[in-house]
């Protein structure tokens, strides 16, 4: 049976009255479409705020617990929902007593009933407790991290997420469950899920194992309406203000809800969502962020179609697109060129130079320069309308003309290509009438290093031939063994003496080589010495009686290029170039290898592709030598493992536990976690992070606490040794 559509108001009608400008307040839906009993006592909620995660301290973020309390304050205050109807899950960074519990009596009551935001508690509340309640409206509010699995389902990690098993709530599966007859037919016809979390792809690594969580369900119950409002779209991160402890999405949403009752709040929720969406759209239009909230509903509360793919509001400005002349020039410039070492650095710089935020992602969007440029040209630029590909090429020109000294991802200078790139930038600016470009930042520099080369004697004698170079702007031989081979004790004594001399000597000037303080010590050794405890060598510190381990004072790494030069030189160099081009951020860069994977074919598998370029060894002592052989055969330049074998666990202190003076070192995966939020692995930060882990372990007696070994083998950063005296 069909019904005629209602007649639109006609200005020519004598009874027509112009309502004037329409505000964005709640548009009341016909009462017949909402349950007549809908009110505070028939409203229930799950509210969760997760700030701390067992998987790594680098996952911790400040804000979600406070956002959860803000939403609970609205729900139990103006919303007048009884505290008994609210299930609050909190895992805050700070002592819970330091949170702001002020407000309505209902919020104070929740202070005594909240539970940690663990996977078990989340599933118990959502799948056991709340379905047994008799209500009309269910609120789900969740603030914390969020990831998408391969089926685009939203996974919300819980506080007890750990490496190898990221415990989480599968929100999409839970919402499907709530639409079935496992919830009694006449209960909860209205359901609203509000999520202040990222929606980025889950890390593709075995150590971040989310597994699968499908809660099943019964037969679908017609008439149940679900409203979903996410802080970001697929592939985007949600912004969090750590200093103020607030999610930008939650702040905007609560500002729209204001002092409305729970009935007015749910009635006007679609319109509040529009207002939030419009506010973030204006931020995005000014180039201040990529986050754009998204609401997903099958039907609005008034049963009409409600989609946000083309929301009303201002048209977002786009950057000027590159013209055909520009593309023709890039085709000639990029023809036959591999991704340069600074490709990712140039890609990220393009967004900063244009005055907008780079998209959340790991590594480059393509494998060729032309495809990377095409990706940039398709994106929205900043407020000045600068084509993103122009600062990208400008950055490539800057790095191509430099010699790259001290920069871990730079290669030899190419002045001819640099000049052609710079000419292309000048022509594009003139042709497209573009503003002036600020220069890219100079490459990061590194301090001086001591390079210790140890070789077995040619005649088979016991001992080692040893040489030592001071490396900086120039390489200078500072010590070598005499004609007779020496033992490791002699090498250690010579190293300590050189460090003392360098620490006491002023830097040279007057046009000669200058050496900043020694930062790195690298040992180039034969295969048999890779696990030698160089990082544990004692170094005098302060008073004559005090020593510190070498690895807690300097970035200590080992190298073994001799085993690669003859047979796997191509794979080694190719993998290193790929690692540098991606700035170590591609999701496939790192691989965890366990005992079961250490077979005779592991080296062949590691060398089949540029990825992985970094291996984390979670192997037992008996399988570690085979792992190291596979690393060298596969051309893998970077690796970390535990001397003596084993995989360190990531332990997190209990919530509210006092800080300890020397925390336990992080597990291997945590060493590679990005500084904050989602992102690719921080491979080029690995030497410094290993040193920090060794420092944290200094003085501890925990088994294996400071036994990390770092293999760092840059094929382009080599010394051509002169013959021994």
């Amino acid at each position: 049976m069909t019904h005629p559509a209602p007649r639109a108001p006609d200005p020519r009608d004598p009874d027509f009255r112009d309502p004037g400008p329409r505000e964005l307040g709640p548009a009341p839906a016909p009462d017949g479409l909402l349950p007549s009993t809908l009110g505070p006592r028939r409203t229930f909620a799950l509210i969760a705020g997760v700030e701390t995660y067992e998987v790594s301290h680098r996952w911790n973020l400040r804000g979600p617990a406070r956002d959860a309390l803000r939403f609970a304050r609205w729900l139990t205050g103006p919303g007048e929902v009884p505290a008994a109807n609210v299930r609050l899950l909190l895992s805050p960074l700070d002592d819970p007593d330091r949170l702001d519990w002020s407000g309505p009596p209902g919020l104070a009551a929740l202070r005594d009933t909240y539970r940690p935001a663990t996977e078990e508690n989340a599933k118990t509340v959502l799948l056991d407790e709340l379905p047994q309640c008799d209500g009309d409206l269910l609120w789900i509010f969740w603030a914390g991290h969020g990831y998408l699995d391969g089926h685009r389902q939203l996974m919300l990690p819980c506080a007890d997420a750990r490496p190898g098993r990221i415990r989480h709530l599968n929100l999409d599966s839970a919402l499907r469950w709530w639409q079935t007859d496992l919830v009694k037919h006449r209960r909860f016809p209205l359901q609203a899920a509000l999520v202040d979390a990222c929606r980025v792809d889950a890390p593709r690594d075995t150590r971040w194992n989310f597994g699968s969580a499908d809660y099943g369900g019964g037969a679908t119950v017609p008439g149940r309406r679900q409203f979903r409002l996410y802080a970001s779209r697929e592939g985007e991160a949600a912004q969090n203000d750590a200093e103020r402890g607030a999610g930008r999405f939650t702040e905007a949403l609560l500002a729209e809800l204001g002092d409305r009752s729970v009935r007015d709040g749910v009635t006007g929720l679609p319109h509040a969502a529009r207002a939030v969406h419009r506010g973030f759209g204006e931020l995005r239009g000014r180039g201040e962020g990529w986050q754009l909230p998204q609401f997903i509903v099958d039907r609005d509360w008034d049963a009409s179609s409600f989609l946000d793919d083309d929301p009303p509001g201002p048209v977002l400005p786009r950057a000027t697109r590159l013209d055909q002349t520009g593309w023709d020039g890039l085709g000639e410039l990029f023809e036959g060129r591999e991704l340069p070492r600074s490709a990712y650095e140039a890609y990220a710089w393009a967004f900063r130079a244009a005055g907008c935020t780079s998209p959340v992602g790991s590594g480059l969007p393509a494998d060729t320069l032309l495809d990377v440029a095409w990706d940039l040209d398709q994106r929205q630029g900043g407020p000045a309308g600068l084509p993103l590909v122009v600062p990208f090429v400008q950055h490539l020109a800057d790095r191509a003309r430099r010699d790259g000294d001290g920069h871990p991802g730079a290669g030899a200078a190419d002045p001819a290509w640099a000049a052609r790139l710079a000419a292309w930038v000048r022509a594009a600016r003139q042709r497209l009438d573009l503003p002036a470009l600020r220069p890219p930042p100079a490459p990061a520099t590194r301090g001086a290093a001591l390079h210790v080369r140890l070789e077995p004697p040619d005649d088979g004698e016991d001992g080692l031939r040893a040489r030592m170079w001071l490396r900086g702007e120039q390489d200078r031989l500072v010590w070598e063994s005499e004609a007779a081979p020496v033992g490791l004790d002699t090498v250690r004594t010579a190293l300590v003496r050189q460090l003392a001399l360098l620490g006491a000597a002023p830097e040279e000037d007057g046009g000669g080589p200058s050496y900043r303080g020694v930062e790195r010590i690298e040992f180039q050794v034969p295969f048999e010495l890779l696990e030698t405890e160089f990082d544990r060598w004692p170094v005098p510190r302060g008073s004559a009686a005090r020593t510190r381990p070498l690895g807690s004072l300097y970035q200590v790494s080992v190298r073994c290029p001799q085993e690669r030069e003859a047979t796997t030189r191509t794979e080694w160099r190719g993998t290193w170039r790929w690692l540098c081009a991606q700035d170590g951020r591609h999701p496939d860069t790192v691989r965890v290898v366990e005992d079961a994977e250490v077979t005779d074919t592991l080296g062949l598998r590691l060398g089949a592709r540029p990825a992985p370029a970094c291996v984390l060894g979670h192997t037992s002592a008996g399988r570690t030598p085979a792992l190291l052989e596979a690393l060298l055969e596969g051309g893998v330049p970077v690796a970390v493992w535990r001397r003596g074998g084993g995989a360190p666990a990531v332990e997190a202190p209990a919530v509210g536990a006092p800080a300890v003076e020397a925390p336990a070192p992080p597990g291997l995966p945590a060493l590679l976690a990005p500084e904050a939020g989602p992102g690719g692995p921080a491979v080029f930060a690995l030497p410094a992070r290993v040193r920090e882990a060794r420092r944290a372990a200094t003085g501890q007696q925990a088994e294996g606490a400071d036994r990390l070994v770092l293999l760092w083998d840059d094929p382009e950063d080599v010394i051509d040794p002169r013959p021994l005296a």
Side-chain angles (χ1 to χ4, degrees):
M1 181 176 180
T2 60
H3 300 275
R7 182 172 61 91
D10 188 347
R12 295 170 296 181
D13 192 321
D15 294 328
F16 172 80
R17 293 185 180 180
D18 187 355
R22 184 178 178 183
E23 297 184 356
L24 241 148
D31 286 339
L33 295 178
L34 297 180
S36 59
T37 55
L38 175 61
R41 296 191 177 278
R42 294 188 58 80
T43 298
F44 292 80
L46 163 63
I47 302 175
V50 194
E51 293 186 341
T52 179
Y53 298 83
E54 292 184 26
V55 63
S56 169
H57 68 279
R58 291 189 174 89
W59 275 44
N60 295 348
L61 68 163
R62 190 174 302 279
R66 290 156 179 78
D67 289 339
L69 289 183
R70 290 187 182 103
F71 188 81
R73 184 175 290 111
W74 170 77
L75 200 62
T76 58
E80 299 182 346
V81 175
N85 291 13
V86 179
R87 307 296 189 270
L88 178 62
L89 305 181
L90 283 183
S91 290
L93 271 173
D94 299 326
D95 186 331
D97 291 336
R98 297 177 59 187
L99 298 175
D100 183 7
W101 294 92
S102 63
L107 184 61
L110 291 175
R111 185 173 186 171
D112 299 324
T113 61
Y114 83 89
R115 287 171 270 183
T118 63
E119 180 188 39
E120 181 180 359
N121 286 340
K123 291 196 299 184
T124 297
V125 167
L126 201 53
L127 304 180
D128 293 333
E129 296 179 10
L130 290 177
Q132 302 304 316
C133 300
D134 186 7
D136 295 322
L137 170 64
L138 171 71
W139 291 94
I140 299 174
F141 177 90
W142 191 287
H145 286 306
Y147 292 97
L148 297 175
D149 68 5
H151 301 289
R152 319 313 296 164
Q153 298 183 112
L154 182 58
M155 302 179 295
L156 302 171
C158 298
D160 52 346
R162 296 176 181 173
R165 185 181 177 189
I166 306 298
R167 294 181 172 90
H168 67 281
L169 176 71
N170 184 331
L171 182 64
D172 287 276
S173 180
L175 291 175
R176 285 195 301 272
W177 189 95
W178 268 84
Q179 287 183 312
T180 70
D181 58 4
L182 294 181
V183 179
K184 292 186 178 180
H185 284 238
R186 298 193 178 186
R187 296 182 181 177
F188 296 105
L190 304 180
Q191 302 164 14
L194 314 174
V195 183
D196 195 348
C198 303
R199 295 172 72 200
V200 297
D201 291 336
R204 290 177 289 179
D205 195 302
T206 55
R207 69 187 187 280
W208 309 131
N209 174 34
F210 281 86
S212 60
D214 189 345
Y215 311 126
T220 301
V221 175
R224 281 212 175 106
R225 303 170 198 159
Q226 286 186 344
F227 185 98
R228 307 185 201 183
L229 179 58
Y230 299 126
S232 59
R233 298 190 172 219
E234 290 187 358
E236 295 179 349
Q239 294 174 309
N240 183 66
D241 190 334
E243 292 185 3
R244 295 189 299 124
R248 300 185 69 174
F249 165 80
T250 300
E251 279 204 334
L253 176 64
L254 291 176
E256 290 298 322
L257 292 175
D259 294 329
R260 296 173 184 166
S261 68
V262 70
R263 188 178 182 95
D264 287 344
V266 71
T267 302
L269 192 55
H271 299 274
R274 292 277 190 191
V276 171
H277 189 282
R278 179 170 296 153
F280 277 91
E282 292 173 356
L283 287 175
R284 187 170 179 171
R286 295 197 298 268
E288 297 178 10
W290 287 95
Q291 177 183 354
L292 196 61
Q294 183 178 32
F295 40 92
I296 300 175
V297 291
D298 297 326
R299 298 282 181 180
D300 193 0
W301 303 135
D302 64 1
S304 63
S305 177
F306 190 75
L307 302 175
D308 77 328
D309 287 339
D310 188 20
V315 177
L316 300 179
R318 288 194 59 85
T320 304
R321 302 292 290 273
L322 198 59
D323 57 7
Q324 188 59 49
T325 302
W327 281 115
D328 292 342
L330 287 184
E332 296 178 2
L333 284 169
F334 293 164
E335 183 179 4
R337 289 271 176 179
E338 295 181 345
L339 287 174
R341 293 173 169 276
S342 58
Y344 181 86
E345 189 182 356
Y347 181 77
W349 164 251
F351 294 93
R352 294 197 297 273
C356 58
T357 304
S358 59
V360 175
S362 301
L364 293 169
D367 295 327
T368 68
L369 280 172
L370 209 56
D371 286 339
V372 173
W374 179 261
D375 174 86
L376 288 168
D377 200 52
Q378 300 303 305
R379 294 186 179 273
Q380 172 189 321
L386 178 68
L388 295 174
V389 70
V390 175
F392 172 71
V393 177
Q394 177 208 26
H395 193 287
L396 294 178
D398 178 80
R399 293 299 184 262
R401 71 176 177 82
R402 296 176 182 268
D403 59 11
D405 275 352
H407 180 49
D414 189 344
W417 193 51
R420 294 174 62 199
L421 292 169
W424 182 94
V425 171
R426 288 193 299 271
R429 283 188 51 217
Q430 295 173 1
R431 196 172 58 253
L432 301 176
D433 193 23
L434 301 178
L437 299 175
R438 56 175 173 156
T445 57
R446 298 187 297 179
L450 271 177
H451 178 90
V452 183
R453 181 165 178 152
L454 305 177
E455 302 169 288
D458 295 333
D459 53 12
E461 295 181 73
D462 293 335
L464 297 164
R465 301 285 189 179
R467 278 167 286 186
M468 200 175 299
W469 285 265
L470 178 62
R471 312 198 62 190
E473 295 176 5
Q474 298 179 17
D475 296 335
R476 176 163 60 92
L477 183 69
V478 294
W479 178 83
E480 62 180 323
S481 60
E482 302 297 335
V486 298
L488 287 177
D489 287 343
T490 301
V491 177
R492 180 175 60 218
T493 301
L495 175 63
V496 171
R497 182 172 181 273
Q498 289 300 320
L499 291 174
L501 291 173
L502 292 169
E507 293 184 357
E508 301 180 35
D509 52 17
S514 62
Y515 300 95
R516 292 175 296 279
V518 173
E519 179 182 83
R520 299 168 290 124
I521 300 178
E522 52 190 28
F523 291 86
Q524 181 172 326
V525 298
F527 179 84
E528 294 76 14
L529 295 182
L530 280 177
E531 287 206 287
T532 303
E533 297 182 340
F534 298 117
D535 55 284
R536 287 188 166 193
W537 281 2
V539 178
R541 189 76 167 174
S543 65
R546 167 167 291 184
T547 63
R548 294 295 187 193
L550 186 68
S552 67
L553 302 174
Y554 305 94
Q555 297 176 13
V556 176
S557 61
V558 293
R559 309 185 60 176
C560 194
Q562 301 95 318
E563 301 289 338
R564 309 174 188 263
E565 288 289 351
T567 57
T568 59
R569 181 184 181 90
T570 300
E571 292 87 347
W572 178 34
R573 291 180 177 273
T575 298
W576 181 263
R577 285 197 300 267
W578 179 85
L579 173 69
C580 293
Q582 301 285 349
D583 199 31
R585 298 172 184 271
H586 194 280
D588 295 336
T589 301
V590 181
R591 177 174 170 181
V592 176
V593 175
E594 300 178 349
D595 275 359
E597 300 173 84
V598 183
T599 64
D600 290 341
T601 62
L602 177 60
L604 294 174
R605 297 200 305 272
L606 292 176
R609 299 170 52 245
C614 174
V615 164
L616 305 180
H618 282 195
T619 52
S620 60
R623 301 304 296 158
T624 298
L627 170 65
L628 301 185
E629 290 180 2
L631 296 179
L632 299 180
E633 180 186 0
V636 177
V638 178
V640 182
W641 68 94
R642 277 182 65 187
R643 188 181 301 113
V650 180
E651 297 293 337
V655 174
V660 294
E661 183 177 353
L668 300 190
L671 290 171
L672 288 157
E675 287 296 336
V683 174
F684 282 108
L686 195 51
R689 290 186 176 180
V690 168
R691 179 183 61 185
E692 293 306 313
R694 289 166 173 163
R695 283 180 175 174
T698 299
Q700 292 194 30
Q701 301 302 317
E703 182 180 356
D706 58 347
R707 292 194 170 192
L708 296 180
V709 184
L710 171 64
L711 173 71
W712 192 270
D713 223 344
D714 178 355
E716 306 296 340
D717 187 20
V718 295
I719 288 180
D720 183 18
R722 65 179 179 83
L724 284 169

